[in-house]
Amino acid sequence: MKIMKFGGTSVGKPERMHQVKDLITKDGEEKIVVLSALSGTTNALVGIGDAMATGNKLKAKELIDQLSLHYDHFITDLLVKTEMQEKAKKVIHEHFDFLNIILKISFNDALNKDILAQGELMSTKLFCLYLEEIGVNHVFLPALDFMAIDSNDEPQVLAIREKLNKTLDAHRGTTLFITQGYICRNAKGEVDNLKRGGSDYSASLIAAAANASVCEIWTDIDGMHNNDPRIVKSTRAIEQLSFDEAAELAYFGAKILHPASIWPAQQFNIPVKLLNTMEPDAKGTLIVKEADSMGVKAVAAKDGIVMIKIKSSRMLLAYGFLRKIFEVFEKYKTSIDMITTSEVAVSVTIDSVLHLDEISKELAPLGELEIIRDQTIVSVVGNKLTQQDGLLTKLFDSLTSIHINMVSYGGSAHNVSILVSTEHRNKTLQLLNKGIFGLD
Ligand code: ASP
Ligand code: MG
């Protein structure tokens, strides 16, 4: 069994869906195909939900109509036969009828999740209708039948496996299954989701649950690159990464893979391949248990970071001080990314400002606080970095013109991170591209 996940841009145009069909019918291997919503749809649904939440029904209605029109055009381009086009329009219109009904009732968070689910529900139905038109045998697996999160919003692979196996068992002999990414049921049985970009996470969970031979993530770029192609001139795809390296990169800014999607594959040891729908023969990136080589593989940047400095003379020779600080962050479910300490001060970074006010208030009695916003973590990721002679010299020599606010080294053998102001992010990535990889 293999898993093939296609992202929004891979299904975002009728001709792309045709390409996806080619890719999934190339061999007769048993597979589960996981689809995202058509590109732009989830953003539009978020907009519809936001408009409803603020009581702006006119705006919500306008967005619903716009989206509906987009699907009408999509259907006419995707399908050839008039009766299939009519059938598809009927199916899709049911989803827009649903959105229009929601418009009339009082809005709440559970309804919002129903709204957000419409994208994946529609993309998979359209794709299955297309397969039906061209006579490709397949079985549609509704993700809401097996993809579940518990009361802590955590998916449990073994629970998913049990449900998934039941559905698969009912279709022995079938080699092609189509299902949705992103959507799931929560502990209350309501429709929920795995957060934005969560289709990768779905694919990895399904791969772990089905004990798949590989989890292929098909996007519009040929794998993970050594640097951000939007910021530096030249980058190269990374051929191989370990799960640990990929986790650091996904978390610290490489947008191509949802960070949570690493753990199910890692825990159940399922290789992950990042591939390009537009260039299916490109090697892409293979992510497996062990790294194939030592040294730096990539740099990545994560914006939206806040640095909090806590300075206190009471920290001098005291114990238990760090615990007190960490407890404040724990209380507000805010995770810390970087931390550095001196004898009288601690600096930490967080990427969520949701509870910053409360956190600041509770930290204030512990020492003098300084809060610095608009920061970026730049991570240098690779294998056994602490054993690399000269890496730090290279790193800091490249960045003599950049003001560095924090450095984190030794936390893991896969990552050296520095904190810079976001206004210096591009320059930092460009200088590191030259200094570490010898690229422009
Ligand atoms: N459609 C969802 C989103 O745009 C999930 C995904 O595509 O991964 O966030
Ligand atoms: Mg994605």
Side-chain angles (χ1 to χ4, degrees):
M1 173 73 84
K2 78 173 179 184
I3 310 302
M4 298 175 84
K5 179 259 167 179
F6 294 89
T9 48
S10 301
V11 291
K13 290 195 174 129
E15 59 269 30
R16 296 271 153 77
M17 277 204 180
H18 299 162
Q19 275 173 308
V20 170
K21 181 268 298 171
D22 290 342
L23 290 169
I24 63 172
T25 51
K26 250 188 186 161
D27 56 48
E29 203 182 328
E30 199 181 10
K31 53 183 76 82
I32 301 178
V33 173
V34 181
L35 301 184
S36 285
L38 314 193
S39 49
T41 296
T42 311
N43 284 344
L45 294 168
V46 168
I48 292 168
D50 287 350
M52 287 193 198
T54 51
N56 193 345
K57 294 198 172 176
L58 222 61
K59 173 88 189 159
K61 177 73 183 139
E62 196 185 302
L63 291 170
I64 294 172
D65 290 345
Q66 244 173 40
L67 195 62
S68 174
L69 205 63
H70 176 69
Y71 276 79
D72 281 346
H73 291 314
F74 195 96
I75 289 169
T76 350
D77 289 344
L78 177 72
L79 304 165
V80 177
K81 295 180 195 140
T82 327
E83 70 270 22
M84 283 307 283
Q85 291 180 354
E86 288 313 313
K87 189 171 169 184
K89 281 188 183 158
K90 202 163 160 256
V91 168
I92 294 304
H93 284 173
E94 275 173 24
H95 291 273
F96 285 99
D97 287 346
F98 172 75
L99 290 175
N100 281 309
I101 289 171
I102 291 189
L103 205 53
K104 297 198 183 87
I105 54 186
S106 66
F107 182 83
N108 60 43
D109 196 43
L111 269 184
N112 196 30
K113 287 175 175 166
D114 274 311
I115 296 177
L116 294 177
Q118 300 308 308
E120 272 70 12
L121 293 172
M122 293 196 287
S123 66
T124 43
K125 284 187 187 170
L126 278 180
F127 188 67
C128 287
L129 284 165
Y130 165 57
L131 293 183
E132 187 186 320
E133 180 177 72
I134 56 171
V136 174
N137 268 336
H138 66 280
V139 165
F140 174 51
L141 296 179
L144 297 177
D145 287 355
F146 63 84
M147 190 55 80
I149 50 177
D150 64 16
S151 50
N152 294 316
D153 287 352
E154 296 291 340
Q156 301 296 338
V157 172
L158 297 182
I160 296 168
R161 172 176 292 174
E162 204 177 305
K163 291 194 183 118
L164 180 64
N165 279 346
K166 262 192 210 140
T167 330
L168 293 175
D169 281 345
H171 298 284
R172 283 285 154 227
T174 301
T175 51
L176 180 59
F177 295 95
I178 313 292
T179 192
Q180 297 106 355
Y182 181 58
I183 59 173
C184 62
R185 282 198 192 276
N186 61 27
K188 290 187 242 161
E190 299 161 340
V191 173
D192 211 316
N193 61 64
L194 299 176
K195 312 266 158 44
R196 291 306 307 273
S199 289
D200 296 340
Y201 195 14
S202 301
S204 174
L205 288 162
I206 295 170
N211 200 16
S213 56
V214 61
C215 177
E216 296 181 352
I217 307 280
W218 291 81
T219 64
D220 53 3
I221 176 165
D222 55 338
M224 267 203 206
H225 279 228
N226 73 300
N227 204 330
D228 191 330
R230 292 164 304 183
I231 295 172
V232 301
K233 267 197 216 132
S234 34
T235 61
R236 51 174 178 249
I238 310 165
E239 275 189 32
Q240 198 258 29
L241 286 167
S242 67
F243 286 120
D244 288 331
E245 292 169 323
E248 302 271 10
L249 275 177
Y251 181 71
F252 287 111
K255 294 277 174 331
I256 178 170
L257 189 64
H258 189 285
S261 54
I262 304 288
W263 77 257
Q266 182 164 27
Q267 199 173 318
F268 290 80
N269 201 14
I270 317 274
V272 175
K273 269 188 192 166
L274 306 179
L275 297 158
N276 187 353
T277 316
M278 266 63 93
E279 230 183 286
D281 295 326
K283 262 196 183 149
T285 302
L286 173 69
I287 306 169
V288 288
K289 201 168 163 194
E290 305 284 348
D292 65 344
S293 59
M294 279 202 5
V296 180
K297 299 220 176 132
V299 296
K302 185 174 163 71
D303 291 341
I305 304 292
V306 177
M307 175 180 181
I308 304 173
K309 282 186 175 180
I310 307 136
K311 198 174 153 208
S312 168
S313 49
R314 271 187 289 155
M315 192 178 159
L316 191 69
L317 301 174
Y319 51 83
F321 189 77
L322 288 177
R323 180 179 51 77
K324 286 187 195 127
I325 292 176
F326 290 153
E327 271 172 359
V328 175
F329 290 92
E330 189 182 347
K331 181 170 169 195
Y332 292 102
K333 293 192 174 158
T334 299
S335 71
I336 295 172
D337 288 328
M338 280 175 80
I339 161 157
T340 57
T341 66
S342 81
E343 188 49 44
V344 291
V346 187
S347 293
V348 300
T349 69
I350 56 174
D351 66 359
S352 158
V353 290
L354 202 63
H355 299 292
L356 187 56
D357 287 346
E358 294 104 309
I359 290 172
S360 313
K361 263 193 209 108
E362 294 205 24
L363 286 176
L366 295 174
E368 199 183 302
L369 284 195
E370 199 182 332
I371 299 195
I372 307 163
R373 292 171 190 263
D374 299 322
Q375 300 292 296
T376 294
I377 295 177
V378 174
S379 291
V380 177
V381 174
N383 184 30
K384 301 193 178 146
L385 294 184
T386 42
Q387 294 171 29
Q388 281 285 290
D389 293 339
L391 169 66
L392 291 186
T393 319
K394 242 191 209 169
L395 179 70
F396 292 117
D397 277 353
S398 317
L399 301 179
T400 43
S401 58
I402 303 285
H403 191 92
I404 297 173
N405 294 333
M406 266 172 92
V407 178
S408 174
Y409 175 79
S412 103
H414 310 291
N415 181 325
V416 182
S417 289
I418 58 167
L419 189 75
V420 298
S421 286
T422 302
E423 58 177 315
H424 298 138
R425 179 238 294 130
N426 289 5
K427 186 97 195 126
T428 305
L429 289 180
Q430 285 153 2
L431 289 169
L432 290 175
N433 214 36
K434 183 108 214 122
I436 293 185
F437 302 104
L439 294 171
D440 286 337

